[in-house]
Amino acid sequence: MEEAFKPKIVGFLCNWCAYAGADLAGVSRLKYSASILPIRVMCSSRIDPLHIITALLNGADGVLVAGCHPGDCHYQQGNYYTRRRFAAVKRILETLGFEPERVRLSWVSASEGQRFAQVIGDFTRKIAELGPAPCRTEAFL
Amino acid sequence: MDTAFTLNEGVEEGLKKILSSLLEKGKIQAAMVLDHTEGGGAAYSLITDPQMMAQTRPLLPLMPANAALALSRLTLKEPLSGPVAAVVRPCELRAFVELVKRGQGSLDHFIFISPVCGGVYPLQETLVKGGIEKKLPEYREAMRQGEIAVDIREACRTCEHFVPTGADMIVAAMGQDDPETHGTVFMQTDRAAELIQDLGEVMIAEKQTEGPLETDLIRKHQGLRRDQKKKLAQEMQLDQSGLDGLIEIFGRCIGCHGCRAVCPICYCELCVFESRDFEPKPVDFERDLSRKGRLRVPPDTLLYHLGRLNHMALSCVGCGSCTDVCPVDIPVSSIFIQVGESLQELFDYLPGRDPEEEVPFTKYETEEFAEFED
Amino acid sequence: MKGAQIPAPKGIADGILSFLKKGLQEGIFDALLLPVKVPAGDSFSYVLMRETDLMDQASPLPPVMPVQGAKALSNLTRYGNGAEKIAVPMRPCEIRAAVELHKLEQVNLENVFLIGLDCPGVLPLKEYLKNPKKGDALYRKALQEWALESPRWVCEICDPVSPEAADLHIGIMGAPRGKLFLIPNTPKGKKLLKRLDLKAESSLASRQTEIKKLAQKRTKNKERALRALRQEVRGPERLLEIFANCINCHNCMRVCPVCYCRQCYFDSEALKMTPDNYLMRAQRKGGLRLMPDTLLFQLGRMSHMSLSCVSCGMCEDACPMDIPVSRIFTLVARDAQIVFGYLAGRSLQEPLPQVIYREEELKEVETPYQETYRPS
């Protein structure tokens, strides 16, 4: 019997907001899909497009970038740059038909434990629909 | 401003005489132009001796290396200390402007002379018997008619930006009545007009053009280029590629990184893809092997191309040097130009159009791109 | 010298692949590094494999060499050996390059079984790419008849036909019909034979005759070709002409297995000057070619890597301007290596010439003390 596909999502979470929000979800015992592999970064703008692409090419079913809401960045403007950089990555994937739906940018504040759980649930569902990443078994990358 | 001078010579000869005269009079220290080489090709040359201008081929339809690389090398350490004229194609000038924005050169004291560009031939054309010389008659005819010359680079065939921006002088190699016998040069800046001032005896023709630069012929040519671009997009259907399509396109890639080396925008002295960051360790191979069972060595071919797209496509000027240099004939520019234009449309950005215009990744608006966030 | 025999009833490629597959399935090798046809079918790339599902697309002797095997090996083992024991079948020039890279500490052979192959030569990459299917068919025939019509220049003059640095060598030439020789060259290779339950009992006389014949032919080709080439490149003008079309892309350097520097000197800060420097150089001669320092790059690369050049020909395959790089570099490399009595890739034990010295040597390049300074 084939096992149901369990999405593996790499989540880049900023230390001050998104990661704290995830912590809050945990502390509040909120139930959400164990699909995310959280990676804490100090600011979402630390994310180089290469991180997102490397994750995808290494077989991540989805990549989530989460940070503070625009205007609330711990470092003032970091997340504005994140947004631009992310828009470029997504547009590139779109232009190449490379499943742009597998990457997502969400803003989650430190007090939004519920929202974090919601974002994960929503994204996991979407990824489950897309199926496992084709890169997982591809030898010729 | 459409101040123009029509010369008694064709565009190329006229240009050579202008530069020669400017060198003789000491109005410029040097002129950077395409020069012929022994091998039947051409290479840029920084010329200080007016006599040497006679053998040059400033408008030869060939791009051995994007001139922006040379312009950047000249001014990487410091700006020029005196005036240097440079005859470069529109995409080469735009690439240099992109480099200047990134601190890789300086525009000071340059006098840019750029032709209305009919495109260049692939480098491999010089290796065929007869080489470029054989192509010139049909090239000139196409320029006269406002048609697209057969066999030019695909990047050129589909390029809509063939009228220069940011140049001090524009050589009307297309669009005016007789570019081969009575070339017209448009002065775009005061500096240019100043330089040309007492060039009177250097063959100013009796019948002067009224302008404008952009004639019906130019507009016709623009339409033709646009059609070619659409056609290429339809043929390639890049947005249907997905992983399988990309593996097909880049499958032959041997990881030589020639495309990066000749790209004017890729200026990093040590590219991240050639640095330790991308050198796999035994543990990396073991992990990948245990997960996939087999993997390509050296790895990360697609990562390199997707990564390079992310790093430079926003500033891609579509020169096509990448395709020419590829030893396994991958149409790199076909992909990079389409992705580049898609990004440029997203940010309403045209690389090199304005030296004051910041690279979009270096600034932001507090409210924008809501469609990309959740 | 004796060897074992392995069956190859369905042809050379199949025989080699079956042998490797067996070794993998019996756990003698943990992984294989093999050229495999890419999904689009228009080229080959090395694939490290533990699973055998790609083996029907694999080719131990593909018609072209898009990536130098030693460079792939260096990518795998530059940072040391992994836990896996990897079997790597390679052509003679790839083995030679692996030997040099080992000496340069860019390849770790500890967990690698180097398996040498006889090689009939390889098609020029650009030719193959024009029509890969045709190239495949041509090469299939060439393997059957063991004769390739128009291989690359470096292949025609490749005279170290059977390098001894490989742990095991698969002898195709001189083998009886439907069989291949398996010749152990190193203690590691001998141990491997034992594990495979094979005995080195067959005489290699027939093979040695064929090898000798081919080596003689290739050596003659080489002498003739280099003699002619030497005349052609006489003097700076000729050199300038040959490299006239060089666009300074440095492809040759980047595909070369021996050129391993992460940042090449010729791409570094060292060659980046102020504008006044370039203008001054231009004024001296009336003009300066841009990008500058093309010939400096070529001569410089020669002086940096010639002593380890194994004439694999990657440089010329990668040159977009059809410059005969591999010919010039072969000529220079050979002359340079002869000065030190060195042959790149010949032996793992032979130290790199520039890493050792003797107190008394190379008197012919010195200007003797007595001649220049005679105290009165």
Side-chain angles (χ1 to χ4, degrees):
Chain A
M1 225 249 298
E2 250 197 49
E3 266 181 44
F5 160 51
K6 291 207 180 86
K8 275 208 174 99
I9 298 170
V10 172
F12 295 104
L13 311 176
C14 91
N15 176 72
W16 304 99
C17 285
Y19 194 84
D23 261 352
L24 183 58
V27 160
S28 314
R29 298 277 182 264
L30 296 175
K31 276 195 161 52
Y32 63 89
S33 197
S35 53
I36 182 165
L37 177 74
I39 298 177
R40 182 175 64 102
V41 292
M42 293 314 287
C43 178
S44 59
S45 65
R46 193 267 174 270
I47 301 307
D48 186 324
L50 280 184
H51 294 131
I52 300 175
I53 304 211
T54 303
L56 283 177
L57 289 175
N58 268 303
D61 300 305
V63 179
L64 172 70
V65 177
C68 309
H69 287 270
D72 295 340
C73 177
H74 186 82
Y75 304 100
Q76 277 78 64
Q77 325 106 310
N79 51 8
Y80 294 129
Y81 293 116
T82 313
R83 185 166 51 192
R84 285 213 160 193
R85 229 171 273 146
F86 184 83
V89 177
K90 190 139 187 179
R91 175 53 74 92
I92 290 175
L93 296 175
E94 273 165 18
T95 309
L96 296 171
F98 199 81
E99 297 186 306
E101 313 82 50
R102 292 192 186 269
V103 303
R104 174 169 170 154
L105 176 69
S106 290
W107 309 121
V108 177
S109 83
S111 59
E112 288 181 316
Q114 183 72 38
R115 172 158 161 76
F116 182 79
Q118 205 176 28
V119 166
I120 300 299
D122 192 47
F123 195 31
T124 307
R125 258 188 307 277
K126 281 218 177 66
I127 297 295
E129 278 170 35
L130 287 174
C135 294
R136 274 199 192 187
T137 50
E138 181 56 62
F140 285 95
L141 291 176
Chain B
M1 51 138 111
D2 277 356
T3 319
F5 289 98
T6 305
L7 310 164
N8 267 332
E9 304 263 1
V11 278
E12 194 164 42
E13 285 310 306
L15 186 53
K16 283 156 68 168
K17 290 220 169 89
I18 291 176
L19 290 170
S20 198
S21 168
L22 289 173
L23 280 169
E24 258 164 39
K25 294 201 165 103
K27 289 202 165 187
I28 54 177
Q29 285 182 343
M32 186 179 113
V33 298
L34 269 182
D35 202 350
H36 79 289
T37 63
E38 306 294 330
Y44 276 104
S45 206
L46 188 65
I47 303 218
T48 53
D49 178 359
Q51 313 264 4
M52 284 183 76
M53 283 306 304
Q55 78 204 23
T56 64
R57 317 289 304 279
L59 299 182
L60 191 72
L62 194 68
M63 191 186 292
N66 192 302
L69 292 167
L71 296 170
S72 164
R73 173 63 68 89
L74 278 178
T75 57
L76 182 67
K77 298 269 165 172
E78 286 167 12
L80 293 171
S81 52
V84 170
V87 182
V88 296
R89 296 195 170 263
C91 59
E92 295 177 308
L93 182 51
R94 289 195 298 128
F96 184 50
V97 169
E98 286 302 290
L99 286 173
V100 169
K101 289 182 195 178
R102 293 162 165 85
Q104 301 305 304
S106 167
L107 294 167
D108 291 355
H109 298 297
F110 269 115
I111 292 118
F112 291 113
I113 305 172
S114 194
V116 174
C117 182
V120 300
Y121 290 101
L123 285 173
Q124 285 70 24
E125 202 63 51
T126 55
L127 306 170
V128 170
K129 192 154 182 278
I132 297 285
E133 302 301 322
K134 214 166 63 165
K135 293 285 196 185
L136 287 180
E138 73 182 67
Y139 185 82
R140 290 186 182 126
E141 184 57 31
M143 294 292 275
R144 223 192 321 265
Q145 305 287 349
E147 297 286 326
I148 299 181
V150 177
D151 294 339
I152 54 173
R153 278 182 180 170
E154 185 186 86
C156 300
R157 186 166 33 95
T158 57
C159 171
E160 293 183 70
H161 307 288
F162 59 94
V163 177
T165 47
D168 293 286
M169 297 185 204
I170 297 183
V171 176
M174 181 196 297
Q176 305 296 311
D177 282 332
D178 304 300
E180 289 306 306
T181 54
H182 292 87
T184 304
V185 183
F186 287 79
M187 306 297 136
Q188 304 292 98
T189 60
D190 289 332
R191 209 165 34 157
E194 218 178 274
L195 275 177
I196 295 295
Q197 249 167 28
D198 36 39
L199 232 42
E201 79 279 9
V202 186
M203 351 93 14
I204 302 292
E206 288 261 338
K207 178 168 173 292
Q208 286 294 305
T209 319
E210 294 293 305
L213 173 64
E214 299 207 16
T215 55
D216 281 339
L217 206 63
I218 301 261
R219 277 183 281 275
K220 166 188 166 189
H221 197 77
Q222 218 140 33
L224 291 175
R225 294 276 183 100
R226 216 168 279 138
D227 289 341
Q228 287 293 309
K229 189 191 283 283
K230 263 198 221 115
K231 198 162 149 246
L232 182 67
Q234 275 163 7
E235 273 167 19
M236 288 193 72
Q237 299 221 310
L238 209 54
D239 58 355
Q240 305 296 316
S241 300
L243 181 65
D244 287 336
L246 287 174
I247 290 180
E248 263 197 49
I249 294 172
F250 290 112
R252 299 197 289 283
C253 176
I254 61 175
C256 72
H257 295 185
C259 45
R260 173 204 64 70
V262 298
C263 176
I265 308 297
C266 276
Y267 68 84
C268 288
E269 217 168 82
L270 181 61
C271 173
V272 70
F273 299 103
E274 287 162 27
S275 73
R276 279 195 110 146
D277 290 351
F278 281 89
E279 285 172 14
K281 318 270 187 310
V283 64
D284 297 315
F285 284 110
E286 261 148 45
R287 181 199 59 228
D288 285 335
L289 261 196
S290 59
R291 230 199 9 206
K292 294 192 203 192
R294 65 272 190 283
L295 95 147
R296 180 188 189 143
V297 177
D300 297 335
T301 309
L302 265 192
L303 178 59
Y304 161 71
H305 289 287
L306 288 174
R308 199 168 84 86
L309 276 171
N310 266 283
H311 285 180
M312 64 68 65
L314 187 57
S315 290
C316 174
V317 297
C319 71
S321 297
C322 45
T323 296
D324 269 12
V325 82
C326 179
V328 292
D329 294 335
I330 295 173
V332 186
S333 62
S334 310
I335 293 108
F336 275 64
I337 291 173
Q338 280 186 64
V339 174
E341 283 179 353
S342 176
L343 279 183
Q344 289 158 22
E345 182 222 7
L346 182 65
F347 290 96
D348 189 21
Y349 182 73
L350 182 66
R353 86 178 137 200
D354 175 5
E356 305 302 309
E357 187 179 10
E358 291 164 289
V359 176
F361 290 136
T362 62
K363 54 183 191 153
Y364 58 86
E365 303 290 326
T366 50
E367 309 250 342
E368 60 177 354
F369 298 123
E371 67 272 25
F372 285 98
E373 50 182 30
D374 262 324
Chain C
M1 176 83 163
K2 293 205 188 240
Q5 283 190 15
I6 54 172
K10 292 200 216 137
I12 298 168
D14 187 82
I16 298 173
L17 289 174
S18 303
F19 162 69
L20 292 169
K21 195 173 185 177
K22 186 156 170 273
L24 188 63
Q25 284 165 340
E26 292 179 9
I28 298 172
F29 313 131
D30 296 317
L32 306 172
L33 183 65
L34 276 180
V36 175
K37 202 165 224 195
V38 298
D42 50 9
S43 189
F44 295 81
S45 83
Y46 274 98
V47 173
L48 182 66
M49 57 177 84
R50 237 192 234 170
E51 305 294 319
T52 55
D53 63 317
L54 285 179
M55 276 194 87
D56 43 353
Q57 293 298 307
S59 169
L61 283 170
V64 284
M65 192 167 68
V67 172
Q68 235 273 3
K71 214 174 184 53
L73 198 54
S74 162
N75 186 262
L76 268 183
T77 62
R78 191 178 201 175
Y79 287 100
N81 56 286
E84 316 254 300
K85 292 203 166 19
I86 309 175
V88 189
M90 297 210 289
R91 314 183 110 115
C93 59
E94 296 176 308
I95 302 262
R96 295 200 295 273
V99 166
E100 289 305 294
L101 284 176
H102 171 88
K103 296 182 204 176
L104 292 164
E105 297 182 23
Q106 301 304 305
V107 153
N108 186 310
L109 291 173
E110 210 180 300
N111 271 352
V112 170
F113 290 116
L114 273 183
I115 300 182
L117 300 169
D118 291 339
C119 173
V122 143
L123 295 170
L125 189 56
K126 292 184 192 73
E127 277 307 307
Y128 176 80
L129 290 172
K130 285 189 193 145
N131 190 338
K133 282 209 175 75
K134 182 162 158 229
D136 287 337
L138 207 114
Y139 206 75
R140 256 194 307 272
K141 190 157 156 272
L143 280 182
Q144 276 168 0
E145 298 170 7
W146 201 251
L148 185 59
E149 245 179 58
S150 306
R152 304 174 311 161
W153 184 90
V154 287
C155 300
E156 306 221 61
I157 58 143
C158 179
D159 54 5
V161 183
S162 182
E164 277 137 38
D167 295 303
L168 273 184
H169 191 93
I170 297 183
I172 300 167
M173 295 170 58
R177 205 135 197 254
K179 293 241 181 345
L180 298 168
F181 285 124
L182 205 54
I183 306 159
N185 285 330
T186 65
K188 214 155 117 193
K190 289 194 175 93
K191 248 196 260 175
L192 197 58
L193 262 194
K194 232 176 169 177
R195 281 199 68 188
L196 289 161
D197 226 355
L198 292 166
K199 292 203 170 51
E201 291 174 328
S202 313
S203 153
L204 296 172
S206 59
R207 171 177 170 76
Q208 261 134 19
T209 324
E210 288 222 24
I211 296 270
K212 194 162 164 215
K213 215 166 74 193
L214 184 61
Q216 275 171 352
K217 177 166 161 227
R218 296 258 179 97
T219 306
K220 217 163 102 202
N221 284 348
K222 181 184 244 178
E223 297 306 317
R224 198 183 332 128
L226 292 183
R227 211 168 22 237
L229 196 56
R230 205 182 297 279
Q231 289 306 108
E232 266 192 66
V233 301
R234 195 120 274 176
E237 268 102 40
R238 272 301 295 153
L239 214 54
L240 281 169
E241 257 178 67
I242 289 171
F243 288 110
N245 278 338
C246 175
I247 59 171
N248 249 293
C249 68
H250 296 188
N251 272 8
C252 49
M253 175 266 288
R254 281 188 307 271
V255 297
C256 173
V258 178
C259 276
Y260 67 83
C261 290
R262 219 171 264 134
Q263 184 187 51
C264 176
Y265 173 80
F266 301 98
D267 289 333
S268 75
E269 197 63 18
L271 293 189
K272 296 183 175 158
M273 310 287 174
T274 61
D276 286 335
N277 175 290
Y278 294 115
L279 274 167
M280 177 195 70
R281 284 155 74 177
Q283 267 143 17
R284 237 190 282 150
K285 302 184 191 174
L288 173 71
R289 179 169 166 155
L290 295 172
M291 299 291 279
D293 304 325
T294 307
L295 207 55
L296 177 66
F297 166 69
Q298 297 293 343
L299 291 173
R301 194 168 90 84
M302 275 179 219
S303 62
H304 283 180
M305 61 72 67
S306 275
L307 289 174
S308 287
C309 173
V310 297
S311 293
C312 71
M314 290 298 303
C315 43
E316 198 164 317
D317 266 348
C319 177
M321 301 305 286
D322 281 357
I323 296 171
V325 192
S326 70
R327 300 181 205 212
I328 313 288
F329 273 67
T330 295
L331 174 67
V332 172
R334 188 167 169 278
D335 282 1
Q337 289 172 23
I338 284 178
V339 171
F340 300 94
Y342 184 75
L343 184 61
R346 170 167 56 199
S347 152
L348 282 164
Q349 277 69 46
E350 203 173 349
L352 295 168
Q354 307 242 305
V355 163
I356 54 164
Y357 61 85
R358 280 181 268 283
E359 280 189 32
E360 306 267 334
E361 63 174 345
L362 300 171
K363 292 232 179 285
E364 61 273 21
V365 303
E366 300 179 312
T367 310
Y369 175 84
Q370 285 94 333
E371 267 185 40
T372 52
Y373 186 60
R374 226 185 266 275
S376 44

